[in-house]
Amino acid sequence: MKKKLLFIATFCVTLIHAQNVPLVQVKIQDPQMVCNLGDCTVLNVAHQFIPKNTDSYSVESIGYNPIFPFSGGVTIPPNGDDYWSPVFDLPFGFCFYGNTYNSVLVGTNGVITFDLTHNNPMNFCEYSFNQTIPNVDFPIKNAIYGVYQDTDIRTPPITNPNFQNINYYVVDTGVYAAPNRAFIVNFNQLPQYDCGNNVGFQTSQIVIHEGTNIVEVFVENRTSCTTWNNGSGLIGIQNQSGTSAITPTDRNTGTWSATNEAWRFTPNGSTLPITYQWFVDGFIVPGANSDSFVVCPTNNQTMYSVQATFDNCGHSFVLNDQNDYGLLSVYPLANPVDISICTNDTGIYTVDIDQAAYVLNGAPLSDYDFKYYENQTDAALGTNNFIASVHNFSFTQNQTIYLVVEDLMSSGCRWIKPFSLNINPAVAPPTGAAEQGFNPGQTLNDLAVEGQSIQWYDAAIGGNLLPGNTLLQNNFTYYASQTVNNCESRMSNPVRLAVHVYDLTLSNVGFLQNNLKVYPNPTHQFLTISNSYKMEQVIVRNSLGQKVLEVYPNQKEYTLNTTQLLSGIYMLDIKSEKQSQTLKVVKN
C-alpha cells in the first residue's frame, strides 16, 4: 500500500501458493486512510480461510501447477506389487469426515487410507474394483483416491526405481510451517499392470493440508489399461462407512484418460466459530473481541495485532501474528523548516521557499501536489490564490507561509504544513578597546576583541577579509565583525568595530617594552602581573565583555587569584599612571 500515512500489514502474512490454496490464517483488511494522527479508523479482520466441519466436502477443478516435487521422500521398495507402506505417523492431526487422524497408510495402487483396522501395513493393498463411490462394499474405505488404479511397481516392469517410484514426505517450512504443514504422496512414472508401458506411465500426486483439511490431487498423466480390471480409475474421497463420498465429474470409477489436471476437495460443513482478541503494543485490549476494532492512533509507532482461535475436530488452533505491524507511513512526510534571513539596508528580502524535496523525505515528487499560500483561509479552502513564484518570493516582514501537500495517489490525504519566514535582527559589532598596543610579531588573533566568529577587514565597509594570522602593523586601523545566527555585523549600520593598533616598542603611550609582564599565561590558578610603574587598576573581562573581577593593586607587582574563574579566554585591562593596555590571558 503505497504513499499512505496509515499502513496496516497483514496479520499472519497472507501468502498463497500457485493453486491459491487457503492457509490457516487471517489478515487485517486495509482500513480507511488516517491522514492525521488522532483521527480514527476501523481495523477489520478479513478471512483468507473460513474453517468448516469436515462432515461434507465440495470438489473443484484447479489449475495444474504442483509446487511440491514428485521425488525426495520415503520410497516404497519395488520388491512386490499391491501392498501397503509401513504406518506413517503424521506430525499433525488431519480431520477427515469428522474424525482426526494422526497416522496413514500409502498404497501402491494410487490410494492412501486412514483405516488401519482393515488394512495392514506391508500387506496386500486391494487393486480389484469396479464399483463407484460411495459404496459400503468398496474394497478400501476411509481413503483418498488419486488415481486409484492397478499400477505395477515391480522391477521389472520398472526400469529406473530411483525415478519410477512411490514416495511420501511432509513439508514443514516457510508458509507451510505449522499450522499449515502438508503431507505429499507421489506416484511417479509407474506402469499399469498387464499393459506395462504400452499405455504410457502413470503419474499423480496427493496432497493433504493441515489446518484447512483440504485434499488436492494432481494428475500429470493417466491412461486406462482396458485389458485389465475394466480399465478402472478413480479420483475422490470416501468416509469410513462408505456412505459418503465425492468425486469429480467423470472420475468416479471408469475408463478415462487425463493429462495435467488437478482437483481440490474442501470441507463444506457448517462454519466453525472463531473468537478474536486484539492487542495494542502487545497488551490485550479488554472487550475487543470482535472481528473489527476502532483505533485512533496518536503516534505512528503504536503496534496493533489480532489473535484468532477456533476448534476443528477437537484440535484447537490459536493464530497469532508472525510479525507485529503498526501504523506506519511508507513515506513519512517531514514538516517544513522555518527560513531565516539576515536583515539588510533595503528592507526587501527575496528567498526560495520551495521545500518539496525536504518534506517528501524520499517519496516521489510525482505522487504529491505542493502549493504555498500566504493566507491560512486560502490554504484551508484550496483557492487559486496560491504563491506562483516560490523560487523568488519577496517579503518585507516576518510572516507565516502555509504549505499544502496533497496525495495524488491512493489515500487522497491533504495536509496543511505552516512554516515561518524570519528576518534576523541586525547583529551588533564585537566589543573591545579602540586603542590597543602590540609587540612585534603579534597578529590579529592577539587583539582583545569580544564576540562570536570574529572576522577582520581592512575597511569599515566592504574592504578585504584578512586572515587571523595577519601581522599587526603600527599605526593601522583594523575592523572586526562578528557572526551570530549566520548573520554578520558587516553592514554600514551598525558599523564594524574599529581597532587602532600601535607598536609598544615605538610608542610612549603604552607600557615600556618588556616592562609589563604577565605570567604564567595560560594560568591554572595564580597570575602574576609585573610592571615598572605602580598599577592603579586591573579589570578582568570574560569573552562576552562582562566584568568578572576588578582589583586596585597600587603596586608594581601583583598576584591575581583566578581560582573562581571558569576555564576560558579573558581580557586584562591594566591601567598605570595614565598608561593602559589590554592583554589576552587563558585560564585552564
mmCIF file of all heavy atoms in Angstrom, residues 126-153:
data_model
loop_
_atom_site.group_PDB
_atom_site.id
_atom_site.type_symbol
_atom_site.label_atom_id
_atom_site.label_comp_id
_atom_site.label_asym_id
_atom_site.label_seq_id
_atom_site.Cartn_x
_atom_site.Cartn_y
_atom_site.Cartn_z
ATOM 1 N N GLU A 126 -5.591 -53.864 -1.910
ATOM 2 C CA GLU A 126 -6.552 -54.306 -2.923
ATOM 3 C C GLU A 126 -6.461 -53.470 -4.201
ATOM 4 O O GLU A 126 -6.320 -52.249 -4.160
ATOM 5 C CB GLU A 126 -7.971 -54.220 -2.355
ATOM 6 C CG GLU A 126 -9.046 -54.712 -3.296
ATOM 7 C CD GLU A 126 -8.882 -56.171 -3.658
ATOM 8 O OE1 GLU A 126 -8.994 -57.021 -2.749
ATOM 9 O OE2 GLU A 126 -8.611 -56.455 -4.852
ATOM 10 N N TYR A 127 -6.519 -54.135 -5.316
ATOM 11 C CA TYR A 127 -6.470 -53.440 -6.601
ATOM 12 C C TYR A 127 -7.752 -53.603 -7.395
ATOM 13 O O TYR A 127 -8.076 -52.801 -8.272
ATOM 14 C CB TYR A 127 -5.308 -53.983 -7.446
ATOM 15 C CG TYR A 127 -5.522 -55.402 -7.937
ATOM 16 C CD1 TYR A 127 -6.192 -55.657 -9.130
ATOM 17 C CD2 TYR A 127 -5.090 -56.484 -7.176
ATOM 18 C CE1 TYR A 127 -6.417 -56.956 -9.560
ATOM 19 C CE2 TYR A 127 -5.303 -57.774 -7.589
ATOM 20 C CZ TYR A 127 -5.971 -58.017 -8.782
ATOM 21 O OH TYR A 127 -6.198 -59.300 -9.201
ATOM 22 N N SER A 128 -8.513 -54.687 -7.093
ATOM 23 C CA SER A 128 -9.655 -55.038 -7.936
ATOM 24 C C SER A 128 -10.900 -54.308 -7.456
ATOM 25 O O SER A 128 -11.338 -54.465 -6.300
ATOM 26 C CB SER A 128 -9.887 -56.550 -7.878
ATOM 27 O OG SER A 128 -11.020 -56.905 -8.640
ATOM 28 N N PHE A 129 -11.481 -53.522 -8.344
ATOM 29 C CA PHE A 129 -12.733 -52.829 -8.032
ATOM 30 C C PHE A 129 -13.380 -52.409 -9.337
ATOM 31 O O PHE A 129 -12.706 -52.191 -10.354
ATOM 32 C CB PHE A 129 -12.490 -51.610 -7.139
ATOM 33 C CG PHE A 129 -11.767 -50.477 -7.834
ATOM 34 C CD1 PHE A 129 -12.454 -49.389 -8.360
ATOM 35 C CD2 PHE A 129 -10.386 -50.509 -8.007
ATOM 36 C CE1 PHE A 129 -11.795 -48.361 -8.999
ATOM 37 C CE2 PHE A 129 -9.712 -49.479 -8.653
ATOM 38 C CZ PHE A 129 -10.417 -48.402 -9.143
ATOM 39 N N ASN A 130 -14.708 -52.325 -9.315
ATOM 40 C CA ASN A 130 -15.442 -51.773 -10.456
ATOM 41 C C ASN A 130 -16.655 -50.980 -10.003
ATOM 42 O O ASN A 130 -17.462 -50.553 -10.813
ATOM 43 C CB ASN A 130 -15.864 -52.885 -11.440
ATOM 44 C CG ASN A 130 -16.668 -53.981 -10.733
ATOM 45 O OD1 ASN A 130 -17.274 -53.762 -9.695
ATOM 46 N ND2 ASN A 130 -16.648 -55.177 -11.328
ATOM 47 N N GLN A 131 -16.755 -50.773 -8.660
ATOM 48 C CA GLN A 131 -17.880 -50.027 -8.124
ATOM 49 C C GLN A 131 -17.569 -48.533 -8.116
ATOM 50 O O GLN A 131 -16.416 -48.123 -8.036
ATOM 51 C CB GLN A 131 -18.195 -50.458 -6.685
ATOM 52 C CG GLN A 131 -18.260 -51.953 -6.467
ATOM 53 C CD GLN A 131 -16.968 -52.496 -5.885
ATOM 54 O OE1 GLN A 131 -15.883 -52.181 -6.370
ATOM 55 N NE2 GLN A 131 -17.105 -53.323 -4.857
ATOM 56 N N THR A 132 -18.623 -47.749 -8.166
ATOM 57 C CA THR A 132 -18.477 -46.310 -7.932
ATOM 58 C C THR A 132 -18.647 -46.047 -6.438
ATOM 59 O O THR A 132 -19.088 -46.922 -5.680
ATOM 60 C CB THR A 132 -19.522 -45.513 -8.726
ATOM 61 O OG1 THR A 132 -20.829 -45.942 -8.341
ATOM 62 C CG2 THR A 132 -19.327 -45.706 -10.227
ATOM 63 N N ILE A 133 -18.292 -44.864 -6.017
ATOM 64 C CA ILE A 133 -18.446 -44.493 -4.612
ATOM 65 C C ILE A 133 -19.472 -43.367 -4.495
ATOM 66 O O ILE A 133 -19.655 -42.596 -5.449
ATOM 67 C CB ILE A 133 -17.092 -44.073 -3.981
ATOM 68 C CG1 ILE A 133 -16.455 -42.905 -4.775
ATOM 69 C CG2 ILE A 133 -16.156 -45.245 -3.897
ATOM 70 C CD1 ILE A 133 -15.192 -42.342 -4.126
ATOM 71 N N PRO A 134 -20.185 -43.272 -3.333
ATOM 72 C CA PRO A 134 -19.997 -44.062 -2.109
ATOM 73 C C PRO A 134 -20.517 -45.489 -2.254
ATOM 74 O O PRO A 134 -21.472 -45.736 -3.003
ATOM 75 C CB PRO A 134 -20.797 -43.289 -1.066
ATOM 76 C CG PRO A 134 -21.867 -42.611 -1.854
ATOM 77 C CD PRO A 134 -21.238 -42.253 -3.171
ATOM 78 N N ASN A 135 -19.895 -46.397 -1.496
ATOM 79 C CA ASN A 135 -20.247 -47.807 -1.581
ATOM 80 C C ASN A 135 -19.755 -48.481 -0.310
ATOM 81 O O ASN A 135 -18.554 -48.480 -0.030
ATOM 82 C CB ASN A 135 -19.608 -48.446 -2.813
ATOM 83 C CG ASN A 135 -20.189 -49.809 -3.121
ATOM 84 O OD1 ASN A 135 -20.314 -50.642 -2.237
ATOM 85 N ND2 ASN A 135 -20.499 -50.040 -4.391
ATOM 86 N N VAL A 136 -20.699 -49.088 0.462
ATOM 87 C CA VAL A 136 -20.316 -49.720 1.721
ATOM 88 C C VAL A 136 -19.453 -50.943 1.498
ATOM 89 O O VAL A 136 -18.768 -51.403 2.424
ATOM 90 C CB VAL A 136 -21.571 -50.092 2.548
ATOM 91 C CG1 VAL A 136 -22.339 -48.849 2.963
ATOM 92 C CG2 VAL A 136 -22.485 -51.039 1.763
ATOM 93 N N ASP A 137 -19.490 -51.525 0.283
ATOM 94 C CA ASP A 137 -18.704 -52.722 -0.015
ATOM 95 C C ASP A 137 -17.428 -52.399 -0.772
ATOM 96 O O ASP A 137 -16.770 -53.317 -1.280
ATOM 97 C CB ASP A 137 -19.559 -53.708 -0.840
ATOM 98 C CG ASP A 137 -20.760 -54.202 -0.052
ATOM 99 O OD1 ASP A 137 -20.591 -54.443 1.159
ATOM 100 O OD2 ASP A 137 -21.838 -54.327 -0.648
ATOM 101 N N PHE A 138 -17.099 -51.127 -0.873
ATOM 102 C CA PHE A 138 -15.888 -50.770 -1.613
ATOM 103 C C PHE A 138 -14.667 -51.365 -0.905
ATOM 104 O O PHE A 138 -14.613 -51.398 0.334
ATOM 105 C CB PHE A 138 -15.751 -49.242 -1.698
ATOM 106 C CG PHE A 138 -14.907 -48.777 -2.839
ATOM 107 C CD1 PHE A 138 -15.389 -48.823 -4.136
ATOM 108 C CD2 PHE A 138 -13.611 -48.323 -2.626
ATOM 109 C CE1 PHE A 138 -14.612 -48.389 -5.199
ATOM 110 C CE2 PHE A 138 -12.824 -47.904 -3.681
ATOM 111 C CZ PHE A 138 -13.332 -47.931 -4.972
ATOM 112 N N PRO A 139 -13.698 -51.870 -1.665
ATOM 113 C CA PRO A 139 -12.585 -52.613 -1.034
ATOM 114 C C PRO A 139 -11.723 -51.779 -0.088
ATOM 115 O O PRO A 139 -11.164 -52.330 0.859
ATOM 116 C CB PRO A 139 -11.779 -53.116 -2.224
ATOM 117 C CG PRO A 139 -12.171 -52.235 -3.359
ATOM 118 C CD PRO A 139 -13.602 -51.887 -3.131
ATOM 119 N N ILE A 140 -11.571 -50.496 -0.350
ATOM 120 C CA ILE A 140 -10.774 -49.626 0.528
ATOM 121 C C ILE A 140 -11.621 -48.394 0.833
ATOM 122 O O ILE A 140 -12.017 -47.663 -0.081
ATOM 123 C CB ILE A 140 -9.446 -49.208 -0.125
ATOM 124 C CG1 ILE A 140 -8.612 -50.429 -0.501
ATOM 125 C CG2 ILE A 140 -8.655 -48.287 0.813
ATOM 126 C CD1 ILE A 140 -7.358 -50.089 -1.299
ATOM 127 N N LYS A 141 -11.880 -48.174 2.131
ATOM 128 C CA LYS A 141 -12.685 -47.021 2.529
ATOM 129 C C LYS A 141 -11.865 -46.117 3.452
ATOM 130 O O LYS A 141 -10.725 -46.408 3.788
ATOM 131 C CB LYS A 141 -13.972 -47.474 3.207
ATOM 132 C CG LYS A 141 -14.914 -48.274 2.296
ATOM 133 C CD LYS A 141 -16.245 -48.555 2.945
ATOM 134 C CE LYS A 141 -16.135 -49.597 4.047
ATOM 135 N NZ LYS A 141 -15.819 -50.936 3.552
ATOM 136 N N ASN A 142 -12.531 -45.023 3.883
ATOM 137 C CA ASN A 142 -11.826 -44.002 4.701
ATOM 138 C C ASN A 142 -10.519 -43.615 3.999
ATOM 139 O O ASN A 142 -9.439 -43.619 4.593
ATOM 140 C CB ASN A 142 -11.535 -44.536 6.106
ATOM 141 C CG ASN A 142 -11.356 -43.400 7.115
ATOM 142 O OD1 ASN A 142 -11.785 -42.273 6.870
ATOM 143 N ND2 ASN A 142 -10.733 -43.699 8.233
ATOM 144 N N ALA A 143 -10.676 -43.247 2.744
ATOM 145 C CA ALA A 143 -9.495 -43.151 1.879
ATOM 146 C C ALA A 143 -9.580 -41.962 0.937
ATOM 147 O O ALA A 143 -10.642 -41.370 0.711
ATOM 148 C CB ALA A 143 -9.338 -44.441 1.074
ATOM 149 N N ILE A 144 -8.408 -41.646 0.371
ATOM 150 C CA ILE A 144 -8.257 -40.641 -0.679
ATOM 151 C C ILE A 144 -7.718 -41.368 -1.895
ATOM 152 O O ILE A 144 -6.687 -42.055 -1.840
ATOM 153 C CB ILE A 144 -7.290 -39.524 -0.249
ATOM 154 C CG1 ILE A 144 -7.816 -38.826 1.010
ATOM 155 C CG2 ILE A 144 -7.082 -38.510 -1.380
ATOM 156 C CD1 ILE A 144 -6.809 -37.868 1.637
ATOM 157 N N TYR A 145 -8.415 -41.215 -3.018
ATOM 158 C CA TYR A 145 -8.067 -41.947 -4.240
ATOM 159 C C TYR A 145 -7.513 -40.965 -5.261
ATOM 160 O O TYR A 145 -8.199 -40.033 -5.669
ATOM 161 C CB TYR A 145 -9.310 -42.636 -4.812
ATOM 162 C CG TYR A 145 -10.131 -43.359 -3.774
ATOM 163 C CD1 TYR A 145 -11.290 -42.773 -3.254
ATOM 164 C CD2 TYR A 145 -9.757 -44.610 -3.301
ATOM 165 C CE1 TYR A 145 -12.059 -43.415 -2.302
ATOM 166 C CE2 TYR A 145 -10.528 -45.271 -2.341
ATOM 167 C CZ TYR A 145 -11.680 -44.668 -1.840
ATOM 168 O OH TYR A 145 -12.435 -45.318 -0.894
ATOM 169 N N GLY A 146 -6.269 -41.200 -5.713
ATOM 170 C CA GLY A 146 -5.707 -40.217 -6.632
ATOM 171 C C GLY A 146 -4.414 -40.596 -7.326
ATOM 172 O O GLY A 146 -3.375 -40.235 -6.822
ATOM 173 N N VAL A 147 -4.444 -41.302 -8.417
ATOM 174 C CA VAL A 147 -5.549 -42.007 -9.040
ATOM 175 C C VAL A 147 -5.498 -43.460 -8.551
ATOM 176 O O VAL A 147 -4.432 -44.106 -8.597
ATOM 177 C CB VAL A 147 -5.418 -41.971 -10.568
ATOM 178 C CG1 VAL A 147 -6.507 -42.788 -11.238
ATOM 179 C CG2 VAL A 147 -5.390 -40.537 -11.077
ATOM 180 N N TYR A 148 -6.636 -43.953 -8.075
ATOM 181 C CA TYR A 148 -6.726 -45.350 -7.644
ATOM 182 C C TYR A 148 -6.878 -46.215 -8.884
ATOM 183 O O TYR A 148 -7.868 -46.137 -9.603
ATOM 184 C CB TYR A 148 -7.914 -45.507 -6.698
ATOM 185 C CG TYR A 148 -8.096 -46.891 -6.118
ATOM 186 C CD1 TYR A 148 -7.004 -47.727 -5.840
ATOM 187 C CD2 TYR A 148 -9.374 -47.373 -5.813
ATOM 188 C CE1 TYR A 148 -7.176 -48.984 -5.279
ATOM 189 C CE2 TYR A 148 -9.565 -48.626 -5.244
ATOM 190 C CZ TYR A 148 -8.457 -49.433 -4.984
ATOM 191 O OH TYR A 148 -8.629 -50.687 -4.430
ATOM 192 N N GLN A 149 -5.845 -47.061 -9.136
ATOM 193 C CA GLN A 149 -5.802 -47.962 -10.300
ATOM 194 C C GLN A 149 -4.714 -48.993 -10.022
ATOM 195 O O GLN A 149 -3.917 -48.839 -9.104
ATOM 196 C CB GLN A 149 -5.511 -47.193 -11.592
ATOM 197 C CG GLN A 149 -4.200 -46.417 -11.552
ATOM 198 C CD GLN A 149 -4.007 -45.526 -12.761
ATOM 199 O OE1 GLN A 149 -4.574 -45.763 -13.817
ATOM 200 N NE2 GLN A 149 -3.190 -44.488 -12.610
ATOM 201 N N ASP A 150 -4.667 -50.035 -10.832
ATOM 202 C CA ASP A 150 -3.724 -51.125 -10.578
ATOM 203 C C ASP A 150 -2.401 -50.835 -11.278
ATOM 204 O O ASP A 150 -2.140 -51.311 -12.382
ATOM 205 C CB ASP A 150 -4.310 -52.460 -11.055
ATOM 206 C CG ASP A 150 -3.448 -53.645 -10.592
ATOM 207 O OD1 ASP A 150 -2.523 -53.411 -9.785
ATOM 208 O OD2 ASP A 150 -3.705 -54.766 -11.049
ATOM 209 N N THR A 151 -1.575 -50.041 -10.598
ATOM 210 C CA THR A 151 -0.224 -49.811 -11.107
ATOM 211 C C THR A 151 0.699 -50.922 -10.628
ATOM 212 O O THR A 151 0.436 -51.599 -9.628
ATOM 213 C CB THR A 151 0.304 -48.450 -10.646
ATOM 214 O OG1 THR A 151 0.127 -48.332 -9.233
ATOM 215 C CG2 THR A 151 -0.436 -47.324 -11.339
ATOM 216 N N ASP A 152 1.777 -51.097 -11.329
ATOM 217 C CA ASP A 152 2.697 -52.222 -11.080
ATOM 218 C C ASP A 152 4.068 -51.652 -10.740
ATOM 219 O O ASP A 152 4.716 -51.028 -11.588
ATOM 220 C CB ASP A 152 2.775 -53.096 -12.331
ATOM 221 C CG ASP A 152 3.494 -54.416 -12.055
ATOM 222 O OD1 ASP A 152 4.103 -54.553 -10.967
ATOM 223 O OD2 ASP A 152 3.434 -55.301 -12.936
ATOM 224 N N ILE A 153 4.523 -51.870 -9.490
ATOM 225 C CA ILE A 153 5.813 -51.287 -9.100
ATOM 226 C C ILE A 153 6.923 -52.330 -9.026
ATOM 227 O O ILE A 153 7.981 -52.068 -8.447
ATOM 228 C CB ILE A 153 5.693 -50.538 -7.755
ATOM 229 C CG1 ILE A 153 5.498 -51.518 -6.592
ATOM 230 C CG2 ILE A 153 4.601 -49.502 -7.787
ATOM 231 C CD1 ILE A 153 5.751 -50.887 -5.238
#
